[in-house]
Amino acid sequence: MENAARALITTPGAARIYRARDFNPVQKQDVRLKLAPGCSLEWFPLETIIYNGACVQLDTQIELEGDSHFVGWEISCFGLPASNQPFSQGSFLQRYRVFHDGVPVFVEGLHITEENLTNQLQGSATLRGKTSCGLFLAGPLSEPLTEEEMDQLRNATHTPQADLSQVGSFVVGRYLGDSAEQARKAFTGWWHALRPRLLGRPSCQPRIWLT
């Protein structure tokens, strides 16, 4: 993005990653977002559904310069539990990295291997048996939020499966549950509350989300 550009980018529907082919098993998606000084980007892809048998590598990298700002989220759903089609075979590697003037300020990763799939999906350090997880990120803020402001954000969503923290000058939200809709609801609520402070503009929900 060029200097002082502003954009909100979303998708019309969920992304779907189907069973991998035997002769080309690795399915990759690389996203690179570069923001020049004065830019702001709101990056809101709808959820990614990982079908049974998929072998996925998702890599998102955001490069901020100067006083640019970023708000974004990532939501991943494993299998089709409502259709009794769990994610019981395959692999998943997700990287999410943010750099500010070339310095890494946020690094996140989730790696589920086929060899230890069941334990990692059920483990207390990974998905705890849940089928959806999400990451929300907003910053950098010029000043950190107070604990009272953080509590107001938490209470605004009324989603027990989601919570917030601060990492440096960024607000980081996480969701772990069984509903992408719940994750989007929590993340959208945080975005509504943070957008005026971070970007100086009131929130306006994209019309495409209502179709």
Side-chain angles (χ1 to χ4, degrees), residues 44-47 73 75 134-136 153-164 174-175 179-193 205 209:
F44 301 144
L46 298 188
E47 64 271 16
W73 65 50
I75 302 170
L135 169 70
F136 172 92
L153 281 176
R154 294 184 182 104
N155 294 333
T157 63
H158 302 292
T159 306
Q161 297 85 358
D163 203 358
L164 284 167
R174 302 182 189 279
Y175 171 86
S179 170
E181 183 178 357
Q182 280 189 345
R184 289 199 310 271
K185 181 179 178 181
F187 294 176
T188 302
W190 295 336
W191 168 60
H192 282 316
Q205 184 163 294
W209 290 353

Side-chain angles (χ1 to χ4, degrees), residues 16-27:
R16 291 172 170 80
I17 303 177
Y18 298 98
R19 181 177 61 85
R21 297 175 179 176
D22 294 337
F23 62 86
N24 189 20
V26 180
Q27 300 151 291

Side-chain angles (χ1 to χ4, degrees), residues 31-37 39 41 59-71 95-108 137-140 167 169-170:
V31 177
R32 297 291 184 269
L33 305 170
K34 298 184 70 172
L35 282 67
C39 290
L41 175 62
D59 195 338
T60 301
Q61 183 169 304
I62 300 102
E63 299 177 19
L64 307 176
E65 295 182 11
D67 58 347
S68 58
H69 295 90
F70 175 80
V71 185
R95 300 187 185 96
Y96 209 95
R97 293 171 290 176
V98 181
F99 294 82
H100 192 188
D101 292 330
V103 178
V105 293
F106 181 83
V107 178
E108 174 91 350
L137 193 65
V167 178
S169 57
F170 284 81

